Amino acid sequence: WSQTTFASITGTVVDASGAAVPNAAVTATSVETNIKFTAQSNAVGNYNIAQLKEGAYTLRAKAPGFKEFVAQNIVLVSRDVRRVDVTLEVGSVETSVEVSAGATLIETETARITDTKTATVLKSLPLNTRGIWAFLALAPNVLQAGGSSTIRFAGSRSNQAHWAIDGTTMSDGVDETQIGPLANYIESFQEIKIDISNNTAEFGTIGQVTMISKSGANAVHGNVFDYYSTPWFRARNPFALARGAGISHVPGGSVGGPVWLPKIYDGRNRSFFFFSFETSRGSPVSQLLNPTVPTPAWRQGDFSGLLPGVTVNDPQTGQPFPGNRIPANRINPVSQKIQERFYPQPNFGAPNTFASQNYREMKIRPRDPSTYWTTRGDHRLSERDSVFGRFTYQRAYNRTYEGNLPTIGRRIQRRDNRAGTISYTHLFRPTLISETRWGFALNNNPVAGPINGPALVKELGLVGLAPDLPDISGILKVNWSGIGLQSITQPDYTRPGYRNHLEEFQEHVSWFRGRHNLKTGFNLTRVEWDSLSANANLFGSVTFSTRFTGGGVSGQGHPYADFLLGIPTSSARAFPPVR
């Protein structure tokens, strides 16, 4: 079986006395595609039918002088090893003995702890998302690590899990974190199989998540849907005054069936296709900006309203400024420009009384859309050869307002993901099977802030930065110590953004002889990880405290006074990034 996603049916063929029946013909037929897979019981009565796609099967066993054995509705999920022992009764071959295996048939051949959720379960559970991640939380002993994208299985460490679609990786290749957007929608998945622990030897991790894409069948199936959310359908947060606002739509559809070209090609029982499309749309997004900004008096250098006994000292003389007011000719011109460029006037509460969140503005922006589509094709080349291929495309945007200030603007971010798998299976004989797989996964998440760095340097008149600054987004970071003023910041530029490109090649050979199985193969993965990230201090970073206007005396001075004088407590710069 190696790292295949296909399932197997195994068992023993005996007569009513329990004696082995050799050379019995055993056939597994797919209910949806009518494709047949055959094997023969060996000298000790054992049989094994491998490389079965997920779905429902009918198992038939025949031998001369015995009635036909029929087991209906054997439902297989990915990497299942289902045992169906056959007991043949003496009688006419024209008669048959039928049993109903059904979904109650459990896997007894391995010790792994597994939870499988089918497409019906995925679309029926009442969750407020169309992503796979919420379904993982429903599996026992699967936990999210500290609210991050890291999932822990059975108490394992963060890098002891692996993620795959149709058998090829969708982990990032760096710390085994999953490339999450490739599983943000569920319409294209036939099932998700979660191996929590006790994995078989071919997997190097404790946890294994395998997602299986849908494929076509002999009958054409399709659907159109819209996952609709409105405030009327939402429960109110018990700590909020009202339900969350906004309407969201997650529309999509899918279609699958046989490849059929009138008068040219009839692909029933042979060639199949599947295609799904999903997206997200909705009403504009409301984003509350609520920074804490300096008062009008502070902006003019007037600190006369400070608590009694608190003085603002002149660093040049060590004596307090008269009336705790900084003369206009002492205000640093760069500080003046920073103040006018980034800090709006207070609009909430008493304007001359410093208070938390004294500026409030509800920004309205378009909803960030995302697009996800998958296409797959399956073809039975011959009784011994079959192939399938799948391609997945995902694109999403994140254009939120940055820095909690209305003067900075909206982030520039577009995340692209791609993934694909091709699998070829060849049966040298029913007991010797080869499977070859190739797959790739791509993640690129570049980020740029709304403000251009060199333009801001020129606008503010900054000096002392590293030479040859690149023409990219950036901002002078302004931070505060000992006061709750809103810092000035935006995301650091990165392009490519944590780009992961993985290519994986697998070869698996399974050999069944007597009561023994020999499984061998290899898995070769090439991982490329690229990131051109600007240092957070590329366009400067400064922090202000009471160090200079307080003269080092606790409870004296004011951070904003240090800022107006243009004397940071600490400052940092950085050189251009190297890819």
Side-chain angles (χ1 to χ4, degrees):
W1 299 295
S2 294
Q3 289 172 315
T4 183
T5 63
F6 294 133
S8 299
I9 299 177
T10 187
T12 304
V13 182
V14 297
D15 59 20
S17 67
V21 179
N23 300 320
V26 185
T27 303
T29 304
S30 170
V31 174
E32 292 185 338
T33 64
N34 202 37
I35 292 178
K36 295 179 173 59
F37 302 84
T38 60
Q40 277 191 331
S41 59
N42 58 24
V44 293
N46 288 342
Y47 75 92
N48 194 298
I49 305 177
Q51 301 299 108
L52 299 176
K53 289 201 307 179
E54 308 76 19
Y57 284 83
T58 299
L59 184 76
R60 299 177 181 272
K62 297 180 180 180
F66 293 94
K67 298 178 181 179
E68 183 183 34
F69 173 91
V70 181
Q72 302 279 5
N73 195 29
I74 302 173
V75 180
L76 301 178
V77 297
S78 62
R79 295 194 286 111
D80 254 356
V81 184
R82 295 295 179 93
R83 172 166 287 275
V84 181
D85 291 324
V86 176
T87 300
L88 297 179
E89 298 182 6
V90 176
S92 170
V93 294
E94 288 79 16
T95 58
S96 63
V97 176
E98 293 193 12
V99 299
S100 179
T104 58
L105 187 65
I106 63 173
E107 180 183 273
T108 59
E109 299 300 299
T110 70
R112 62 189 170 202
I113 301 173
T114 296
D115 183 18
T116 301
K117 291 178 171 58
T118 64
T120 302
V121 173
L122 293 178
K123 71 180 182 181
S124 301
L125 287 173
L127 299 176
N128 64 345
T129 177
R130 294 281 290 177
I132 288 295
W133 317 114
F135 300 96
L136 292 176
L138 301 179
N141 225 357
V142 177
L143 300 173
Q144 221 171 12
S148 69
S149 60
T150 302
I151 311 295
R152 295 183 187 272
F153 296 80
S156 61
R157 295 175 63 86
S158 58
N159 63 346
Q160 293 178 329
H162 185 257
W163 309 75
I165 303 179
D166 292 327
T168 57
T169 186
M170 62 165 275
S171 292
D172 66 5
V174 181
D175 60 5
E176 291 308 296
T177 301
Q178 68 279 8
I179 301 177
L182 290 174
N184 274 357
Y185 294 91
I186 64 174
E187 179 61 28
S188 64
F189 294 120
Q190 177 63 35
E191 67 176 58
I192 171 174
K193 187 181 185 71
I194 308 165
D195 293 327
I196 301 165
S197 62
N198 290 355
N199 259 317
T200 42
E202 62 267 21
F203 294 101
T205 55
I206 294 175
Q208 170 71 30
V209 178
T210 303
M211 282 158 280
I212 303 299
S213 61
K214 292 180 179 176
S215 59
N218 274 334
V220 177
H221 296 280
N223 65 61
V224 176
F225 60 85
D226 182 15
Y227 198 83
Y228 173 63
S229 177
T230 176
W232 286 101
F233 296 160
R234 298 191 188 114
R236 180 180 63 84
N237 186 317
F239 301 102
L241 298 177
R243 295 183 177 97
I247 294 173
S248 67
H249 296 270
V250 185
S254 65
V255 61
V259 177
W260 182 72
L261 302 174
K263 299 183 180 179
I264 299 177
Y265 182 74
D266 185 352
R268 285 175 294 185
N269 303 334
R270 188 177 180 89
S271 304
F272 309 93
F273 76 94
F274 176 83
F275 177 81
S276 69
F277 177 86
E278 295 169 90
T279 184
S280 66
R281 297 292 187 269
S283 59
V285 176
S286 301
Q287 183 176 343
L288 175 64
L289 303 181
N290 53 1
T292 301
V293 299
T295 66
W298 293 3
R299 298 167 72 98
Q300 302 301 318
D302 183 357
F303 296 93
S304 60
L306 296 180
L307 293 174
V310 177
T311 61
V312 174
N313 301 310
D314 185 348
Q316 294 182 359
T317 65
Q319 300 300 314
F321 283 108
N324 269 0
R325 291 182 174 90
I326 300 176
N329 63 353
R330 294 288 303 277
I331 295 179
N332 185 282
V334 175
S335 298
Q336 185 77 32
K337 291 178 181 178
I338 292 173
Q339 171 181 267
E340 299 302 323
R341 172 67 175 82
F342 292 109
Y343 285 125
Q345 297 279 353
N347 66 359
F348 188 84
N352 290 312
T353 301
F354 182 68
S356 177
Q357 300 180 0
N358 56 357
Y359 180 89
R360 302 185 184 185
E361 180 180 352
M362 185 65 75
K363 286 286 191 180
I364 307 298
R365 61 180 178 86
R367 181 184 178 91
D368 292 324
S370 63
T371 301
Y372 186 101
W373 58 266
T374 295
T375 184
R376 171 169 169 160
D378 295 73
H379 182 61
R380 179 87 163 181
L381 298 167
S382 67
E383 292 295 321
R384 293 178 177 268
D385 302 277
S386 60
V387 64
F388 82 82
R390 172 200 46 83
F391 177 76
T392 300
Y393 171 101
Q394 195 277 155
R395 172 170 289 177
Y397 294 87
N398 181 15
R399 295 175 288 197
T400 182
Y401 281 97
E402 284 299 334
N404 198 31
L405 285 166
T407 52
I408 292 181
R410 293 169 57 193
R411 170 193 300 224
I412 303 168
Q413 182 177 7
R414 189 188 80 185
R415 187 171 187 177
D416 282 295
N417 302 97
R418 311 286 186 268
T421 302
I422 297 175
S423 173
Y424 168 68
T425 300
H426 176 71
L427 277 69
F428 294 99
R429 53 182 182 271
T431 57
L432 184 60
I433 302 170
S434 167
E435 181 190 2
T436 305
R437 291 199 184 210
W438 175 86
F440 81 96
L442 170 68
N443 172 68
N444 191 20
N445 192 20
V447 177
I451 295 177
N452 178 267
L456 182 67
V457 169
K458 183 178 180 180
E459 176 187 344
L460 298 181
L462 297 177
V463 296
L465 296 172
D468 301 322
L469 292 174
D471 187 18
I472 61 175
S473 67
I475 197 171
L476 171 69
K477 309 286 180 63
V478 179
N479 307 287
W480 307 96
S481 176
I483 192 170
L485 277 173
Q486 176 67 52
S487 60
I488 299 174
T489 185
Q490 73 173 15
D492 298 317
Y493 176 91
T494 173
R495 184 180 297 269
Y498 311 106
R499 179 183 182 273
N500 314 102
H501 180 228
L502 302 94
E503 293 190 39
E504 187 170 50
F505 181 80
Q506 303 171 11
E507 172 61 30
H508 319 303
V509 176
S510 299
W511 184 30
F512 308 99
R513 182 176 177 83
R515 299 182 183 273
H516 305 284
N517 302 339
L518 175 65
K519 298 170 288 184
T520 184
F522 67 88
N523 181 11
L524 176 65
T525 306
R526 178 186 182 274
V527 181
E528 179 184 340
W529 186 82
D530 299 306
S531 186
L532 182 64
S533 298
N535 189 284
N537 303 322
L538 179 62
F539 294 97
S541 176
V542 290
T543 300
F544 296 92
S545 69
T546 62
R547 177 178 180 181
F548 295 99
T549 57
V553 179
S554 176
Q556 298 294 311
H558 197 277
Y560 204 75
D562 279 36
F563 165 71
L564 290 179
L565 293 172
I567 317 176
T569 303
S570 63
S571 61
R573 71 173 188 174
F575 286 80
V578 176
R579 181 167 177 169

